[in-house]
Amino acid sequence: MITTFRIHEDNAAPEFGMACQRLVPWAGPGEEPPFGAMACFLSAGDRSAPDCHDQDEVMITLGGRGTVDVGDDSAAIDAGTVLVIPRNQAHVVHNSGDTGLSWVSFYWPLHEPENPRNGDES
């Protein structure tokens, strides 16, 4: 069985201060994959909400231009840029262009690891 769908902003929902379309996992039978993926769409002049998670992430820019702040560093992105965000690094995406900025993010593990409570044995 082949599963197909299109990446498009019309298929996205508000998340993280932008529009996001969940790509992996998709609804259906079978095991969950070990990673997740989502397409992100950010309007001209906007920025994403700050995010930080215990998952590694790779962003592949599809179109537009902007910058990504990761911790104290900043990098310019445009179509074709691949950017790596190490786990537990706060990051924000800024659309500095006059058109939409779009990218696909792959992250792993699929679910963020649970942090054990410090010193709480109950």
Side-chain angles (χ1 to χ4, degrees):
M1 176 164 79
I2 298 174
T3 301
T4 65
F5 48 91
R6 298 199 58 78
I7 294 173
H8 195 277
E9 192 168 2
D10 289 345
N11 299 325
E15 280 189 83
F16 308 107
M18 58 192 159
C20 298
Q21 177 186 359
R22 297 289 173 158
L23 305 174
V24 177
W26 52 85
E31 290 184 49
E32 285 189 326
F35 68 94
M38 63 186 197
C40 302
F41 306 91
L42 190 59
S43 298
D46 282 350
R47 68 181 191 120
S48 68
D51 194 17
C52 187
H53 41 77
D54 194 8
Q55 296 156 302
D56 293 300
E57 182 174 347
V58 172
M59 292 176 59
I60 301 172
T61 310
L62 301 175
R65 64 184 173 87
T67 58
V68 180
D69 298 333
V70 180
D72 294 330
D73 294 328
S74 186
I77 58 170
D78 61 5
T81 302
V82 177
L83 185 120
V84 178
I85 303 171
R87 63 185 58 214
N88 300 313
Q89 294 292 308
H91 50 282
V92 176
V93 181
H94 304 265
N95 182 340
S96 57
D98 55 4
T99 62
L101 174 63
S102 59
W103 67 94
V104 172
S105 281
F106 296 89
Y107 53 92
W108 63 94
L110 175 60
H111 300 288
E112 199 166 355
E114 290 187 34
N115 292 327
R117 293 182 188 168
N118 292 330
D120 185 4
E121 299 294 325
S122 56

